[in-house]
Short mmCIF file of all heavy atoms in Angstrom, two decimals:
data_model
loop_
_atom_site.label_atom_id
_atom_site.label_comp_id
_atom_site.label_asym_id
_atom_site.label_seq_id
_atom_site.Cartn_x
_atom_site.Cartn_y
_atom_site.Cartn_z
N MET A 227 12.27 -13.68 -40.49
CA MET A 227 12.76 -12.43 -39.94
C MET A 227 14.19 -12.42 -39.93
O MET A 227 14.86 -13.45 -39.70
CB MET A 227 12.27 -12.35 -38.47
CG MET A 227 10.79 -12.32 -38.24
SD MET A 227 9.88 -10.89 -37.93
CE MET A 227 10.82 -9.64 -37.25
N SER A 228 14.66 -11.23 -40.20
CA SER A 228 16.16 -11.15 -40.30
C SER A 228 16.73 -10.84 -38.96
O SER A 228 16.14 -10.16 -38.14
CB SER A 228 16.38 -10.00 -41.27
OG SER A 228 17.79 -9.60 -41.24
N ASP A 229 17.94 -11.25 -38.70
CA ASP A 229 18.67 -10.92 -37.52
C ASP A 229 19.42 -9.57 -37.62
O ASP A 229 19.93 -9.03 -36.70
CB ASP A 229 19.68 -11.95 -37.02
CG ASP A 229 18.94 -13.29 -36.62
OD1 ASP A 229 17.85 -13.14 -36.13
OD2 ASP A 229 19.61 -14.27 -36.66
N LYS A 230 19.36 -9.05 -38.81
CA LYS A 230 20.04 -7.71 -39.13
C LYS A 230 19.26 -6.66 -38.38
O LYS A 230 18.02 -6.56 -38.57
CB LYS A 230 20.17 -7.59 -40.52
CG LYS A 230 21.02 -6.27 -40.88
CD LYS A 230 21.28 -6.21 -42.36
CE LYS A 230 20.00 -5.76 -42.99
NZ LYS A 230 20.17 -5.44 -44.45
N PRO A 231 19.87 -5.80 -37.60
CA PRO A 231 19.20 -4.64 -36.95
C PRO A 231 18.68 -3.69 -37.99
O PRO A 231 19.34 -3.41 -38.97
CB PRO A 231 20.18 -4.07 -35.99
CG PRO A 231 21.51 -4.45 -36.54
CD PRO A 231 21.34 -5.75 -37.23
N THR A 232 17.54 -3.20 -37.77
CA THR A 232 16.91 -2.22 -38.63
C THR A 232 17.48 -0.82 -38.38
O THR A 232 17.99 -0.51 -37.26
CB THR A 232 15.43 -2.09 -38.47
OG1 THR A 232 15.08 -1.72 -37.08
CG2 THR A 232 14.74 -3.42 -38.81
N ARG A 233 17.61 0.00 -39.40
CA ARG A 233 18.09 1.28 -39.23
C ARG A 233 17.13 2.32 -38.58
O ARG A 233 15.91 2.27 -38.96
CB ARG A 233 18.52 1.89 -40.68
CG ARG A 233 19.40 3.04 -40.66
CD ARG A 233 19.80 3.43 -42.01
NE ARG A 233 18.47 4.09 -42.51
CZ ARG A 233 18.32 4.37 -43.77
NH1 ARG A 233 19.18 4.07 -44.66
NH2 ARG A 233 17.21 4.95 -44.12
N PRO A 234 17.53 3.12 -37.59
CA PRO A 234 16.62 4.03 -36.98
C PRO A 234 16.14 4.98 -37.99
O PRO A 234 16.76 5.45 -38.87
CB PRO A 234 17.39 4.68 -35.93
CG PRO A 234 18.67 4.00 -35.75
CD PRO A 234 18.85 3.12 -36.99
N ILE A 235 14.83 5.34 -37.85
CA ILE A 235 14.18 6.19 -38.80
C ILE A 235 14.53 7.68 -38.62
O ILE A 235 14.99 8.44 -39.47
CB ILE A 235 12.70 5.96 -38.79
CG1 ILE A 235 12.36 4.62 -39.25
CG2 ILE A 235 11.97 7.03 -39.77
CD1 ILE A 235 10.87 4.19 -39.16
N PHE A 236 14.37 8.16 -37.34
CA PHE A 236 14.57 9.51 -37.00
C PHE A 236 15.88 9.73 -36.21
O PHE A 236 15.97 10.73 -35.52
CB PHE A 236 13.38 10.08 -36.27
CG PHE A 236 12.09 10.15 -37.13
CD1 PHE A 236 11.09 9.24 -36.81
CD2 PHE A 236 12.10 10.98 -38.19
CE1 PHE A 236 9.91 9.34 -37.60
CE2 PHE A 236 10.91 11.09 -38.96
CZ PHE A 236 9.79 10.24 -38.72
N GLY A 237 16.77 8.88 -36.25
CA GLY A 237 18.01 9.08 -35.59
C GLY A 237 17.94 8.56 -34.02
O GLY A 237 18.88 8.86 -33.35
N GLU A 238 16.85 7.95 -33.66
CA GLU A 238 16.85 7.49 -32.19
C GLU A 238 17.74 6.33 -32.04
O GLU A 238 18.07 5.59 -32.94
CB GLU A 238 15.36 7.16 -31.83
CG GLU A 238 14.85 5.91 -32.49
CD GLU A 238 14.15 6.17 -33.80
OE1 GLU A 238 14.24 7.21 -34.38
OE2 GLU A 238 13.58 5.20 -34.30
N ARG A 239 18.11 6.16 -30.82
CA ARG A 239 19.07 5.05 -30.46
C ARG A 239 18.17 3.81 -30.03
O ARG A 239 17.16 3.96 -29.43
CB ARG A 239 20.03 5.44 -29.37
CG ARG A 239 20.96 6.57 -29.80
CD ARG A 239 21.98 6.82 -28.82
NE ARG A 239 21.44 6.90 -27.47
CZ ARG A 239 21.80 7.76 -26.52
NH1 ARG A 239 22.71 8.72 -26.83
NH2 ARG A 239 21.28 7.81 -25.37
N ARG A 240 18.73 2.73 -30.29
CA ARG A 240 18.02 1.48 -29.83
C ARG A 240 18.22 1.08 -28.37
O ARG A 240 17.31 0.68 -27.70
CB ARG A 240 18.49 0.25 -30.65
CG ARG A 240 17.99 0.33 -32.13
CD ARG A 240 16.61 0.15 -32.15
NE ARG A 240 16.12 0.21 -33.60
CZ ARG A 240 14.90 0.32 -34.00
NH1 ARG A 240 13.97 0.33 -33.10
NH2 ARG A 240 14.65 0.37 -35.20
N GLU A 241 19.38 1.38 -27.79
CA GLU A 241 19.69 1.07 -26.44
C GLU A 241 19.16 2.30 -25.63
O GLU A 241 19.24 3.45 -26.01
CB GLU A 241 21.14 0.82 -26.22
CG GLU A 241 22.04 2.04 -26.35
CD GLU A 241 22.47 2.34 -27.70
OE1 GLU A 241 22.16 1.51 -28.67
OE2 GLU A 241 23.01 3.43 -28.04
N PRO A 242 18.57 2.02 -24.44
CA PRO A 242 18.11 3.09 -23.61
C PRO A 242 19.17 3.91 -23.01
O PRO A 242 20.20 3.40 -22.69
CB PRO A 242 17.32 2.31 -22.50
CG PRO A 242 17.85 0.99 -22.47
CD PRO A 242 18.32 0.69 -23.90
N SER A 243 18.95 5.21 -22.88
CA SER A 243 19.98 6.02 -22.36
C SER A 243 19.93 6.07 -20.79
O SER A 243 18.99 5.52 -20.30
CB SER A 243 19.73 7.53 -22.88
OG SER A 243 18.53 8.00 -22.35
N LEU A 244 20.87 6.68 -20.20
CA LEU A 244 20.88 6.67 -18.77
C LEU A 244 19.71 7.47 -18.25
O LEU A 244 19.07 7.09 -17.20
CB LEU A 244 22.21 7.37 -18.31
CG LEU A 244 22.42 7.44 -16.79
CD1 LEU A 244 22.45 6.05 -16.21
CD2 LEU A 244 23.71 8.20 -16.50
N PHE A 245 19.26 8.49 -18.97
CA PHE A 245 18.08 9.25 -18.55
C PHE A 245 16.81 8.41 -18.54
O PHE A 245 15.94 8.39 -17.68
CB PHE A 245 17.90 10.55 -19.45
CG PHE A 245 16.64 11.25 -19.19
CD1 PHE A 245 16.50 12.12 -18.13
CD2 PHE A 245 15.57 11.08 -20.02
CE1 PHE A 245 15.34 12.73 -17.85
CE2 PHE A 245 14.35 11.81 -19.74
CZ PHE A 245 14.29 12.59 -18.69
N GLN A 246 16.74 7.64 -19.67
CA GLN A 246 15.51 6.74 -19.88
C GLN A 246 15.43 5.76 -18.79
O GLN A 246 14.44 5.43 -18.23
CB GLN A 246 15.51 6.07 -21.22
CG GLN A 246 15.23 7.07 -22.30
CD GLN A 246 15.34 6.48 -23.70
OE1 GLN A 246 16.17 5.45 -23.84
NE2 GLN A 246 14.75 6.96 -24.63
N GLU A 247 16.70 5.18 -18.43
CA GLU A 247 16.67 4.16 -17.44
C GLU A 247 16.39 4.69 -16.03
O GLU A 247 15.60 4.12 -15.30
CB GLU A 247 18.15 3.46 -17.30
CG GLU A 247 18.36 2.51 -18.50
CD GLU A 247 19.74 1.85 -18.31
OE1 GLU A 247 20.21 1.77 -17.27
OE2 GLU A 247 20.31 1.42 -19.37
N GLY A 248 16.91 5.88 -15.74
CA GLY A 248 16.54 6.55 -14.47
C GLY A 248 15.10 6.91 -14.37
O GLY A 248 14.49 6.68 -13.30
N ALA A 249 14.52 7.43 -15.52
CA ALA A 249 13.14 7.78 -15.46
C ALA A 249 12.24 6.51 -15.25
O ALA A 249 11.25 6.56 -14.61
CB ALA A 249 12.78 8.50 -16.75
N MET A 250 12.66 5.49 -15.99
CA MET A 250 11.89 4.21 -15.82
C MET A 250 11.94 3.71 -14.31
O MET A 250 10.85 3.28 -13.80
CB MET A 250 12.36 3.18 -16.76
CG MET A 250 11.46 1.95 -16.83
SD MET A 250 12.18 0.67 -17.92
CE MET A 250 13.78 0.29 -17.16
N LEU A 251 13.09 3.73 -13.71
CA LEU A 251 13.27 3.19 -12.45
C LEU A 251 12.48 4.14 -11.47
O LEU A 251 11.88 3.60 -10.47
CB LEU A 251 14.69 3.12 -12.04
CG LEU A 251 15.46 2.00 -12.72
CD1 LEU A 251 16.93 2.14 -12.37
CD2 LEU A 251 15.02 0.67 -12.23
N MET A 252 12.50 5.46 -11.65
CA MET A 252 11.72 6.39 -10.76
C MET A 252 10.26 6.15 -10.90
O MET A 252 9.50 6.15 -9.92
CB MET A 252 12.06 7.84 -11.08
CG MET A 252 13.46 8.25 -10.49
SD MET A 252 13.78 10.00 -10.61
CE MET A 252 13.99 10.25 -12.29
N ALA A 253 9.78 5.93 -12.16
CA ALA A 253 8.34 5.64 -12.35
C ALA A 253 7.91 4.33 -11.73
O ALA A 253 6.87 4.21 -11.13
CB ALA A 253 8.08 5.56 -13.93
N LYS A 254 8.90 3.27 -11.84
CA LYS A 254 8.56 2.00 -11.14
C LYS A 254 8.49 2.10 -9.63
O LYS A 254 7.62 1.58 -9.01
CB LYS A 254 9.66 1.08 -11.53
CG LYS A 254 9.49 -0.37 -11.17
CD LYS A 254 10.56 -1.19 -11.68
CE LYS A 254 10.53 -2.70 -11.35
NZ LYS A 254 11.60 -3.46 -11.81
N GLY A 255 9.39 2.88 -9.12
CA GLY A 255 9.40 3.20 -7.64
C GLY A 255 8.14 3.96 -7.21
O GLY A 255 7.52 3.66 -6.15
N ALA A 256 7.77 4.95 -8.06
CA ALA A 256 6.51 5.69 -7.72
C ALA A 256 5.27 4.73 -7.77
O ALA A 256 4.43 4.86 -6.98
CB ALA A 256 6.39 6.82 -8.73
N GLY A 257 5.36 3.85 -8.70
CA GLY A 257 4.26 2.82 -8.79
C GLY A 257 4.13 2.00 -7.58
O GLY A 257 3.11 1.68 -7.01
N TYR A 258 5.28 1.50 -7.16
CA TYR A 258 5.31 0.73 -5.94
C TYR A 258 4.87 1.48 -4.73
O TYR A 258 4.14 0.95 -3.83
CB TYR A 258 6.72 0.12 -5.66
CG TYR A 258 7.18 -0.95 -6.56
CD1 TYR A 258 8.58 -1.15 -6.84
CD2 TYR A 258 6.28 -1.72 -7.21
CE1 TYR A 258 9.00 -2.19 -7.67
CE2 TYR A 258 6.67 -2.78 -8.17
CZ TYR A 258 8.05 -2.96 -8.29
OH TYR A 258 8.43 -3.98 -9.16
N GLY A 259 5.31 2.76 -4.59
CA GLY A 259 4.90 3.56 -3.50
C GLY A 259 3.41 3.83 -3.45
O GLY A 259 2.81 3.80 -2.48
N ALA A 260 2.90 4.06 -4.69
CA ALA A 260 1.41 4.39 -4.80
C ALA A 260 0.68 2.98 -4.49
O ALA A 260 -0.31 3.12 -3.82
CB ALA A 260 1.11 4.70 -6.21
N ALA A 261 1.10 1.85 -4.83
CA ALA A 261 0.47 0.61 -4.49
C ALA A 261 0.50 0.40 -2.97
O ALA A 261 -0.55 -0.06 -2.37
CB ALA A 261 1.20 -0.56 -5.18
N VAL A 262 1.60 0.63 -2.27
CA VAL A 262 1.64 0.51 -0.81
C VAL A 262 0.73 1.52 -0.15
O VAL A 262 -0.05 1.18 0.74
CB VAL A 262 3.08 0.69 -0.26
CG1 VAL A 262 3.09 0.85 1.13
CG2 VAL A 262 3.95 -0.55 -0.78
N PHE A 263 0.74 2.79 -0.58
CA PHE A 263 -0.06 3.82 0.06
C PHE A 263 -1.67 3.45 -0.14
O PHE A 263 -2.33 3.46 0.79
CB PHE A 263 0.22 5.20 -0.71
CG PHE A 263 -0.63 6.30 -0.17
CD1 PHE A 263 -0.48 6.80 1.00
CD2 PHE A 263 -1.71 6.70 -0.99
CE1 PHE A 263 -1.36 7.92 1.53
CE2 PHE A 263 -2.58 7.79 -0.54
CZ PHE A 263 -2.37 8.27 0.71
N PHE A 264 -2.03 3.15 -1.45
CA PHE A 264 -3.42 2.92 -1.65
C PHE A 264 -3.85 1.57 -1.00
O PHE A 264 -5.03 1.46 -0.66
CB PHE A 264 -3.75 3.00 -3.17
CG PHE A 264 -3.72 4.46 -3.68
CD1 PHE A 264 -2.73 4.76 -4.65
CD2 PHE A 264 -4.60 5.31 -3.14
CE1 PHE A 264 -2.72 6.16 -5.17
CE2 PHE A 264 -4.60 6.69 -3.65
CZ PHE A 264 -3.61 7.06 -4.64
N GLY A 265 -2.88 0.65 -0.93
CA GLY A 265 -3.19 -0.60 -0.23
C GLY A 265 -3.48 -0.40 1.23
O GLY A 265 -4.43 -0.93 1.79
N ALA A 266 -2.62 0.46 1.86
CA ALA A 266 -2.87 0.73 3.30
C ALA A 266 -4.20 1.50 3.43
O ALA A 266 -4.95 1.26 4.42
CB ALA A 266 -1.71 1.54 3.83
N MET A 267 -4.54 2.42 2.53
CA MET A 267 -5.74 3.18 2.61
C MET A 267 -6.86 2.22 2.42
O MET A 267 -7.98 2.40 3.13
CB MET A 267 -5.76 4.32 1.60
CG MET A 267 -4.75 5.37 1.85
SD MET A 267 -4.94 6.24 3.42
CE MET A 267 -6.50 7.06 3.21
N ALA A 268 -6.75 1.24 1.55
CA ALA A 268 -7.86 0.29 1.37
C ALA A 268 -8.15 -0.50 2.64
O ALA A 268 -9.29 -0.76 2.95
CB ALA A 268 -7.53 -0.58 0.16
N ILE A 269 -7.05 -0.95 3.32
CA ILE A 269 -7.27 -1.63 4.50
C ILE A 269 -7.90 -0.84 5.59
O ILE A 269 -8.76 -1.39 6.37
CB ILE A 269 -5.84 -2.25 5.03
CG1 ILE A 269 -5.36 -3.33 4.04
CG2 ILE A 269 -5.94 -2.76 6.47
CD1 ILE A 269 -3.93 -3.77 4.31
N ILE A 270 -7.50 0.41 5.72
CA ILE A 270 -8.12 1.30 6.77
C ILE A 270 -9.64 1.40 6.36
O ILE A 270 -10.41 1.34 7.27
CB ILE A 270 -7.37 2.64 6.74
CG1 ILE A 270 -6.01 2.43 7.35
CG2 ILE A 270 -8.23 3.72 7.51
CD1 ILE A 270 -5.11 3.62 7.23
N PHE A 271 -9.94 1.72 5.12
CA PHE A 271 -11.36 1.89 4.79
C PHE A 271 -12.17 0.58 4.95
O PHE A 271 -13.42 0.68 5.31
CB PHE A 271 -11.49 2.36 3.38
CG PHE A 271 -11.16 3.83 3.22
CD1 PHE A 271 -10.28 4.25 2.24
CD2 PHE A 271 -11.70 4.78 4.07
CE1 PHE A 271 -9.97 5.60 2.09
CE2 PHE A 271 -11.42 6.13 3.96
CZ PHE A 271 -10.53 6.54 2.98
N ILE A 272 -11.57 -0.53 4.75
CA ILE A 272 -12.25 -1.83 4.99
C ILE A 272 -12.54 -1.94 6.55
O ILE A 272 -13.64 -2.39 6.93
CB ILE A 272 -11.36 -2.99 4.42
CG1 ILE A 272 -11.42 -2.98 2.96
CG2 ILE A 272 -11.96 -4.37 5.08
CD1 ILE A 272 -10.47 -3.97 2.34
N LEU A 273 -11.58 -1.67 7.33
CA LEU A 273 -11.86 -1.72 8.76
C LEU A 273 -12.90 -0.74 9.27
O LEU A 273 -13.75 -1.04 10.14
CB LEU A 273 -10.51 -1.46 9.57
CG LEU A 273 -9.46 -2.55 9.44
CD1 LEU A 273 -8.19 -2.12 10.17
CD2 LEU A 273 -9.99 -3.86 9.99
N ILE A 274 -12.86 0.44 8.65
CA ILE A 274 -13.94 1.49 9.01
C ILE A 274 -15.27 0.93 8.55
O ILE A 274 -16.31 1.04 9.28
CB ILE A 274 -13.63 2.76 8.32
CG1 ILE A 274 -12.41 3.42 9.02
CG2 ILE A 274 -14.87 3.70 8.32
CD1 ILE A 274 -11.93 4.72 8.18
N ALA A 275 -15.39 0.32 7.36
CA ALA A 275 -16.69 -0.26 6.88
C ALA A 275 -17.10 -1.43 7.78
O ALA A 275 -18.31 -1.47 8.07
CB ALA A 275 -16.52 -0.76 5.46
N ILE A 276 -16.23 -2.29 8.28
CA ILE A 276 -16.56 -3.30 9.21
C ILE A 276 -17.11 -2.70 10.49
O ILE A 276 -18.05 -3.22 11.08
CB ILE A 276 -15.48 -4.26 9.39
CG1 ILE A 276 -15.08 -5.04 8.13
CG2 ILE A 276 -15.69 -5.21 10.58
CD1 ILE A 276 -13.84 -5.91 8.24
N GLY A 277 -16.46 -1.70 11.01
CA GLY A 277 -16.86 -1.04 12.22
C GLY A 277 -18.24 -0.41 12.10
O GLY A 277 -19.08 -0.32 13.03
N ALA A 278 -18.50 0.07 10.92
CA ALA A 278 -19.80 0.73 10.72
C ALA A 278 -20.91 -0.24 10.60
O ALA A 278 -22.11 0.15 10.91
CB ALA A 278 -19.84 1.59 9.32
N THR A 279 -20.69 -1.50 10.30
CA THR A 279 -21.77 -2.51 10.21
C THR A 279 -22.08 -3.16 11.62
O THR A 279 -23.02 -3.88 11.78
CB THR A 279 -21.37 -3.61 9.20
OG1 THR A 279 -20.07 -4.26 9.64
CG2 THR A 279 -21.17 -3.08 7.82
N LEU A 280 -21.19 -2.86 12.63
CA LEU A 280 -21.52 -3.40 13.91
C LEU A 280 -22.67 -2.78 14.50
O LEU A 280 -22.98 -1.66 14.30
CB LEU A 280 -20.21 -3.25 14.78
CG LEU A 280 -18.95 -3.92 14.37
CD1 LEU A 280 -17.75 -3.54 15.22
CD2 LEU A 280 -19.20 -5.49 14.49
N PRO A 281 -23.38 -3.57 15.44
CA PRO A 281 -24.47 -3.05 16.08
C PRO A 281 -24.13 -1.91 17.09
O PRO A 281 -22.94 -1.86 17.58
CB PRO A 281 -25.10 -4.20 16.84
CG PRO A 281 -24.00 -5.17 16.98
CD PRO A 281 -23.14 -4.96 15.76
N PRO A 282 -25.03 -1.03 17.38
CA PRO A 282 -24.70 0.09 18.29
C PRO A 282 -24.23 -0.37 19.67
O PRO A 282 -23.51 0.36 20.41
CB PRO A 282 -25.91 0.95 18.35
CG PRO A 282 -26.76 0.55 17.24
CD PRO A 282 -26.35 -0.80 16.86
N GLU A 283 -24.75 -1.48 20.19
CA GLU A 283 -24.43 -2.00 21.44
C GLU A 283 -22.94 -2.29 21.63
O GLU A 283 -22.41 -2.19 22.67
CB GLU A 283 -25.20 -3.24 21.83
CG GLU A 283 -26.65 -3.12 21.97
CD GLU A 283 -27.40 -3.13 20.67
OE1 GLU A 283 -26.76 -3.63 19.64
OE2 GLU A 283 -28.51 -2.53 20.50
N SER A 284 -22.29 -2.68 20.54
CA SER A 284 -20.88 -2.98 20.62
C SER A 284 -20.03 -1.72 20.79
O SER A 284 -18.89 -1.75 21.32
CB SER A 284 -20.43 -3.58 19.30
OG SER A 284 -20.49 -2.69 18.22
N LYS A 285 -20.54 -0.55 20.41
CA LYS A 285 -19.86 0.70 20.54
C LYS A 285 -20.06 1.33 21.95
O LYS A 285 -19.34 2.22 22.32
CB LYS A 285 -20.28 1.70 19.50
CG LYS A 285 -20.05 1.22 18.11
CD LYS A 285 -20.68 2.13 17.03
CE LYS A 285 -20.36 1.54 15.71
NZ LYS A 285 -21.46 1.66 14.79
N GLU A 286 -21.04 0.79 22.74
CA GLU A 286 -21.23 1.25 24.10
C GLU A 286 -20.51 0.47 25.10
O GLU A 286 -20.59 0.72 26.27
CB GLU A 286 -22.78 1.24 24.39
CG GLU A 286 -23.50 2.26 23.42
CD GLU A 286 -24.97 1.99 23.60
OE1 GLU A 286 -25.39 1.16 24.40
OE2 GLU A 286 -25.74 2.68 22.92
N ALA A 287 -19.90 -0.63 24.78
CA ALA A 287 -19.19 -1.53 25.71
C ALA A 287 -17.96 -0.88 26.25
O ALA A 287 -17.38 0.10 25.65
CB ALA A 287 -18.78 -2.82 25.02
N PRO A 288 -17.58 -1.21 27.49
CA PRO A 288 -16.37 -0.56 28.07
C PRO A 288 -15.14 -0.97 27.28
O PRO A 288 -15.09 -2.01 26.55
CB PRO A 288 -16.36 -1.11 29.53
CG PRO A 288 -17.12 -2.41 29.43
CD PRO A 288 -18.15 -2.19 28.40
N ASP A 289 -14.09 -0.13 27.45
CA ASP A 289 -12.82 -0.41 26.71
C ASP A 289 -12.15 -1.66 27.22
O ASP A 289 -12.01 -1.85 28.45
CB ASP A 289 -11.90 0.81 27.03
CG ASP A 289 -10.61 0.70 26.18
OD1 ASP A 289 -10.56 0.02 25.20
OD2 ASP A 289 -9.65 1.42 26.51
N PRO A 290 -11.83 -2.60 26.34
CA PRO A 290 -11.26 -3.90 26.85
C PRO A 290 -9.81 -3.87 27.02
O PRO A 290 -9.13 -4.87 27.25
CB PRO A 290 -11.65 -4.85 25.62
CG PRO A 290 -11.62 -4.00 24.46
CD PRO A 290 -12.12 -2.58 24.92
N SER A 291 -9.08 -2.74 26.97
CA SER A 291 -7.63 -2.59 27.03
C SER A 291 -7.19 -2.86 28.46
O SER A 291 -7.99 -2.86 29.40
CB SER A 291 -7.14 -1.25 26.53
OG SER A 291 -7.57 -0.21 27.38
N PHE A 292 -6.03 -3.08 28.75
CA PHE A 292 -5.40 -3.40 30.07
C PHE A 292 -5.58 -2.34 31.01
O PHE A 292 -5.69 -2.62 32.22
CB PHE A 292 -3.97 -3.92 29.94
CG PHE A 292 -3.75 -5.12 29.25
CD1 PHE A 292 -3.11 -5.21 28.02
CD2 PHE A 292 -4.32 -6.26 29.73
CE1 PHE A 292 -2.94 -6.45 27.41
CE2 PHE A 292 -4.12 -7.50 29.09
CZ PHE A 292 -3.48 -7.61 27.89
N GLY A 293 -5.62 -1.13 30.56
CA GLY A 293 -5.80 -0.01 31.50
C GLY A 293 -7.17 0.14 32.10
O GLY A 293 -7.40 0.67 33.07
N ALA A 294 -8.17 -0.49 31.40
CA ALA A 294 -9.52 -0.37 31.84
C ALA A 294 -9.93 -1.58 32.78
O ALA A 294 -10.91 -1.48 33.46
CB ALA A 294 -10.51 -0.43 30.68
N ILE A 295 -9.04 -2.56 32.85
CA ILE A 295 -9.36 -3.68 33.76
C ILE A 295 -8.95 -3.23 35.20
O ILE A 295 -7.88 -2.83 35.47
CB ILE A 295 -8.49 -4.96 33.39
CG1 ILE A 295 -8.89 -5.35 31.95
CG2 ILE A 295 -8.70 -6.04 34.36
CD1 ILE A 295 -8.05 -6.50 31.44
N GLU A 296 -9.89 -3.31 36.08
CA GLU A 296 -9.75 -2.99 37.44
C GLU A 296 -9.90 -4.14 38.36
O GLU A 296 -10.72 -5.08 38.10
CB GLU A 296 -10.71 -1.88 37.88
CG GLU A 296 -10.57 -0.63 37.09
CD GLU A 296 -11.57 0.44 37.50
OE1 GLU A 296 -12.36 0.22 38.38
OE2 GLU A 296 -11.54 1.48 36.75
N ALA A 297 -9.16 -4.18 39.44
CA ALA A 297 -9.34 -5.29 40.44
C ALA A 297 -10.60 -5.13 41.18
O ALA A 297 -11.01 -3.99 41.36
CB ALA A 297 -8.13 -5.34 41.26
N PRO A 298 -11.15 -6.21 41.68
CA PRO A 298 -12.41 -5.99 42.51
C PRO A 298 -12.07 -5.18 43.74
O PRO A 298 -10.95 -5.23 44.31
CB PRO A 298 -12.80 -7.36 42.87
CG PRO A 298 -11.82 -8.35 42.16
CD PRO A 298 -10.84 -7.63 41.50
N ALA A 299 -13.05 -4.36 44.20
CA ALA A 299 -12.80 -3.52 45.36
C ALA A 299 -12.56 -4.35 46.68
O ALA A 299 -11.89 -3.90 47.54
CB ALA A 299 -13.97 -2.57 45.50
N GLU A 300 -13.25 -5.39 46.73
CA GLU A 300 -13.09 -6.18 47.93
C GLU A 300 -12.46 -7.55 47.69
O GLU A 300 -12.75 -8.30 46.82
CB GLU A 300 -14.51 -6.52 48.53
CG GLU A 300 -14.48 -7.32 49.79
CD GLU A 300 -15.93 -7.58 50.25
OE1 GLU A 300 -16.79 -6.79 50.04
OE2 GLU A 300 -16.06 -8.66 50.92
N THR A 301 -11.35 -7.81 48.40
CA THR A 301 -10.67 -9.06 48.24
C THR A 301 -10.65 -9.84 49.59
O THR A 301 -10.52 -9.21 50.69
CB THR A 301 -9.16 -8.91 47.83
OG1 THR A 301 -8.54 -8.01 48.72
CG2 THR A 301 -9.20 -8.30 46.44
N ARG A 302 -10.83 -11.13 49.60
CA ARG A 302 -10.84 -11.89 50.80
C ARG A 302 -9.65 -12.77 50.83
O ARG A 302 -9.31 -13.43 49.75
CB ARG A 302 -12.11 -12.73 50.85
CG ARG A 302 -13.32 -11.88 51.16
CD ARG A 302 -14.48 -12.65 51.47
NE ARG A 302 -15.11 -13.06 50.22
CZ ARG A 302 -16.13 -13.88 50.04
NH1 ARG A 302 -16.61 -14.54 51.05
NH2 ARG A 302 -16.64 -14.12 48.88
N ALA A 303 -9.01 -13.01 51.97
CA ALA A 303 -7.94 -13.93 52.08
C ALA A 303 -8.44 -15.30 52.28
O ALA A 303 -9.45 -15.50 53.02
CB ALA A 303 -7.04 -13.44 53.22
N ALA A 304 -7.86 -16.30 51.76
CA ALA A 304 -8.36 -17.67 51.87
C ALA A 304 -7.85 -18.31 53.12
O ALA A 304 -6.94 -18.02 53.79
CB ALA A 304 -7.93 -18.49 50.67
#
């Protein structure tokens, strides 16, 4: 192989133009954005699928968050 650069056939340039570099970077950023978006959507759908496979009794349980925890009505001093 020769190290001599070949002559362009239709007058195109070998080095990328500023427009080509900008378009490539925007496409790369759009690809990254799409990967993050569809990755998050996949995680959400996986969680929905796991929740759908749970037995119905698990959906009838009381809310385990801190707002649902109540102190006993009767307290005795020791």
Side-chain angles (χ1 to χ4, degrees):
M227 303 259 333
S228 170
D229 289 337
K230 186 171 75 170
T232 59
R233 199 178 71 193
I235 298 172
F236 294 111
E238 70 270 9
R239 297 189 312 222
R240 291 289 178 192
E241 69 277 351
S243 67
L244 183 60
F245 174 78
Q246 289 172 336
E247 287 183 23
M250 184 180 64
L251 288 173
M252 285 191 288
K254 188 177 179 182
Y258 288 155
V262 168
F263 175 76
F264 289 116
M267 293 301 292
I269 289 171
I270 290 170
F271 284 133
I272 288 170
L273 291 175
I274 289 172
I276 290 172
T279 61
L280 293 174
E283 295 83 20
S284 68
K285 297 173 183 142
E286 296 170 1
D289 185 19
S291 64
F292 291 116
I295 298 175
E296 298 177 4
E300 181 181 328
T301 55
R302 290 188 273 173

